[in-house]
Amino acid sequence: MSFKEHLKGKDFLTLADYSQAELAYILELATTIKNKHKSGEIYQPLKGKTLGMIFQKSSTRTRVSFEAGIYQLGGTGLFLSSNDIQIGRGELISDTAKVLSSYLDGIMIRTFSHKDVEDLAENALVPVINGLTDDFHPCQVLADLQTIKEKKGRLEGLKLAYIGDGNNMANSLMIGCAKMGLDIAIAAPKDYQPKAEITELASSFANNTEVTVTEDPFEAVKNADIIYSDVWASMGYEQEQKEREKAFATYQVNTELFSYAHEDAIFMHCLPAHRGEEVTTEIIDGPKSVVFEEAENRLHAQKALMVALMG
């Protein structure tokens, strides 16, 4: 069975559910689709198909990239906020899943609880894509891996250092790097490190690679090929901003920290960024930064994902 046949109808909840070969196929497809897009070629394998997009968390990149992406592929995207559907008024997720499955060809959901995404997928008859939860952000990491391969020419044998909160980005990066042959080092204060069970899960996928968690950002970036950062207070934790500013004060990505990485290291950030907090302006807007190419690749990686699952 080809990957095209194998992936059709599959859910995309976390990168842990996909093999290295499956992820490599999606990344290769993303490159092909990007090249078609850049050349102006019309490519509409999802003509007549509809993606429902449930947003319980607001977004810039997720909404625009999915909505533009399904349109460019010939389909239609329906934006569904909590105010637009009955989930926001207490309808069971299982009921919503069954009803939407009779109308749609795929569902993307961006929400808080990962359990809600699992419940939706368990009851839906069409592919469900995790656009973000408090625990995972797999679509972003697909775009990240695509960007790294574009900039470095490969994935295996590289080292990524993530500096900051052990949040959904750290979780998905650990799994994605371990699956695709990159070493990853997470540097975060003791009380903000990834959950032990997710670190163990990521480590279980490592094959001749290392998954490291440390409190020392300089140790993490030593010999790194990629330095990655995220905001200190993710969506839903804004009330902890002042407390987190103190905890993460020594975890800023700046010129001094960057000097410990390889000379040709690149900087990545999932955006939005708070310049002057987790990263200095000179780094994020400097020549080593690839954050906007990375943001653009959300479009192409997610188009590849939709084609693979909904095509």
Side-chain angles (χ1 to χ4, degrees):
M1 181 183 293
S2 68
F3 282 120
K4 184 176 181 180
E5 297 168 325
H6 177 66
L7 292 175
K8 185 176 180 180
K10 187 171 180 176
D11 297 317
F12 186 73
L13 307 188
T14 80
L15 296 169
D17 301 327
Y18 281 66
S19 69
Q20 182 185 54
E22 289 171 332
L23 292 173
Y25 170 78
I26 293 171
L27 292 174
E28 184 178 346
L29 181 59
T31 297
T32 299
I33 289 174
K34 182 175 182 177
N35 290 338
K36 290 179 184 292
H37 180 80
K38 293 293 187 180
S39 70
E41 179 181 342
I42 302 300
Y43 177 66
Q44 297 188 327
L46 299 187
K47 193 170 184 178
K49 301 214 170 180
T50 305
L51 177 74
M53 305 181 300
I54 300 173
F55 282 87
Q56 294 182 306
K57 275 189 175 184
S58 60
S59 169
T60 299
R61 280 149 292 275
T62 300
R63 177 175 179 182
V64 176
S65 57
F66 268 108
E67 194 162 345
I70 188 66
Y71 173 78
Q72 290 169 11
L73 293 169
T76 300
L78 297 178
F79 174 78
L80 305 169
S81 73
S82 296
N83 295 326
D84 298 318
I85 56 178
Q86 297 299 324
I87 284 180
R89 299 176 61 188
E91 181 175 49
L92 293 176
I93 290 176
S94 58
D95 288 352
T96 297
K98 292 168 186 174
V99 170
L100 291 183
S101 294
S102 67
Y103 304 147
L104 304 170
D105 301 288
I107 302 169
M108 189 284 301
I109 180 170
R110 180 180 169 96
T111 189
F112 294 89
S113 170
H114 191 72
K115 180 65 164 56
D116 288 349
V117 178
E118 293 176 332
D119 290 345
L120 184 69
E122 183 178 348
N123 290 278
L125 301 177
V126 296
V128 172
I129 297 171
N130 176 10
L132 175 141
T133 65
D134 286 344
D135 291 326
F136 300 102
H137 198 355
C139 288
Q140 177 65 54
V141 174
L142 275 183
D144 295 339
L145 292 169
Q146 182 183 356
T147 307
I148 293 168
K149 191 169 184 180
E150 287 176 353
K151 296 299 179 180
K152 296 294 184 181
R154 62 190 172 98
L155 293 174
E156 292 187 349
L158 299 176
K159 178 184 176 180
L160 184 147
Y162 174 91
I163 312 300
D165 188 21
N167 58 13
N168 48 14
M169 274 311 314
N171 294 341
S172 288
L173 281 167
M174 283 195 297
I175 296 171
C177 286
K179 286 265 187 181
M180 301 309 292
L182 294 85
D183 290 332
I184 181 167
I186 305 288
K190 184 177 180 180
D191 293 335
Y192 297 93
Q193 293 181 348
K195 295 175 183 176
E197 59 266 30
I198 296 179
T199 303
E200 291 170 6
L201 175 65
S203 297
S204 72
F205 299 126
N207 183 16
N208 297 320
T209 57
E210 294 184 0
V211 176
T212 304
V213 178
T214 178
E215 293 181 58
D216 187 348
F218 292 94
E219 176 187 340
V221 303
K222 186 176 180 182
N223 297 322
D225 300 286
I226 307 104
I227 297 181
Y228 201 115
S229 186
D230 190 9
V231 294
W232 291 338
S234 297
M235 193 177 298
Y237 296 91
E238 293 88 350
Q239 72 279 5
E240 301 178 10
Q241 178 66 31
K242 295 300 180 183
E243 176 185 344
R244 285 170 175 261
E245 285 178 6
K246 294 178 182 178
F248 287 95
T250 60
Y251 290 81
Q252 183 186 74
V253 177
N254 51 36
T255 302
E256 180 186 7
L257 186 64
F258 228 95
S259 69
Y260 283 74
H262 284 151
E263 187 175 348
D264 62 349
I266 58 175
F267 175 74
M268 303 182 75
H269 193 300
C270 56
L271 301 180
H274 294 170
R275 289 165 171 78
E277 291 183 14
E278 73 271 11
V279 60
T280 60
T281 298
E282 62 183 339
I283 293 296
I284 193 170
D285 293 330
K288 294 181 180 292
S289 175
V290 298
V291 298
F292 295 111
E293 295 97 319
E294 176 188 4
E296 179 192 338
N297 280 339
R298 287 288 301 276
L299 173 68
H300 309 300
Q302 289 163 189
K303 284 170 71 174
L305 186 61
M306 288 187 283
V307 169
L309 305 188
M310 297 169 57

